[in-house]
Amino acid sequence: MSLVFFRYLIPHDKAPTGNTLKLGKPDAQLLVLGFIVMFTAICEGGMFDWSGVYFKEVIGVELFTFGYLIFMICMTMSRFISDFVVHKIGMKPMYKISSLFITSGIAIAIIFPTFWPALIGFSMVGLGSAAVVPMTFILAGTSKKYSAGIALSVVVTYAQVGILMGPVIIGYLAHAVNLRLSFLFMALAGLAILPVSRYYFRRFGSAEA
């Protein structure tokens, strides 16, 4: 597909400035966006690696891939429709909705560790987490210090840290206490998206503006 479609890429698509990453004090805008995407990636990584284990060990379901499957289906569906929703209500409310969906979904799965509540909870996590990363990438492209490509690569690095770090921390917490309580870490990460995103819009404005 790449061989077919590369001909349709925009030619000479390179910003005149900001194409070199300067080592030193982190750029404030990208730092805040990096934390937003890292918190989301912690939740996504945790769901990727531990949702099936949660359904097997905590819920006690023989076909334990149900949790992972419903999360991925809802996340995929949300990715297709979230852009439309963002255009209707704006990014700031969408961050709030996403954060509350992630936190509430994980909380439901923790408080009611039975099949249907956990399934609904994991569905909410999938629906909530899908829009955050694309929105954050768009905001990274508005950086005044770096070109869109450099800014995006910086934010993606934070995402990779989160997606690798999240499952490991959940594993350690599950060993220290239990798997059910270790999911609280993901709930807190999802909840953290709300104040950090509000701080971003208060300090840097919005992409719409």
Side-chain angles (χ1 to χ4, degrees):
M1 289 178 70
S2 298
L3 291 173
V4 173
F5 291 114
F6 85 95
R7 296 175 296 166
Y8 300 100
L9 295 173
I10 300 171
H12 312 297
D13 183 30
K14 186 177 181 180
T17 59
N19 292 302
T20 303
L21 184 63
K22 299 178 179 67
L23 296 178
K25 185 179 178 182
D27 179 65
Q29 181 186 6
L30 297 184
L31 182 65
V32 177
L33 293 175
F35 275 113
I36 292 173
V37 83
M38 184 175 70
F39 291 139
T40 310
I42 286 171
C43 298
E44 290 184 11
M47 294 300 292
F48 291 156
D49 287 11
W50 288 102
S51 57
V53 182
Y54 192 89
F55 259 66
K56 183 179 181 180
E57 300 293 335
V58 178
I59 310 300
V61 178
E62 188 174 343
L63 191 59
F64 58 88
T65 51
F66 266 127
Y68 176 77
L69 179 64
I70 196 67
F71 165 76
M72 290 302 298
I73 289 173
C74 290
M75 187 173 175
T76 304
M77 289 170 54
S78 184
R79 280 266 160 88
F80 281 110
I81 64 172
S82 59
D83 205 39
F84 172 78
V85 178
V86 170
H87 278 291
K88 287 289 184 182
I89 67 173
M91 288 187 179
K92 189 175 179 180
M94 193 63 177
Y95 273 113
K96 181 179 180 179
I97 292 169
S98 297
S99 176
L100 294 178
F101 260 67
I102 293 169
T103 307
S104 301
I106 295 171
I108 289 170
I110 294 171
I111 297 168
F112 306 104
T114 53
F115 181 77
W116 286 109
L119 204 66
I120 293 168
F122 283 11
S123 302
M124 292 174 66
V125 178
L127 292 170
S129 59
V132 178
V133 172
M135 285 193 299
T136 310
F137 285 175
I138 290 170
L139 293 173
T142 66
S143 171
K144 293 178 174 62
K145 183 175 180 179
Y146 294 113
S147 67
I150 293 290
L152 192 59
S153 67
V154 171
V155 174
V156 167
T157 302
Y158 283 91
Q160 292 301 317
V161 170
I163 212 163
L164 293 172
M165 181 177 68
V168 176
I169 294 175
I170 292 167
Y172 275 114
L173 291 173
H175 182 72
V177 281
N178 60 59
L179 182 60
R180 184 180 169 191
L181 289 179
S182 72
F183 268 48
L184 282 171
F185 176 68
M186 282 198 294
L188 292 173
L191 186 62
I193 295 168
L194 179 56
V196 178
S197 64
R198 289 176 72 89
Y199 171 78
Y200 175 86
F201 288 112
R202 189 167 61 248
R203 179 169 177 183
F204 301 104
S206 66
E208 292 93 339

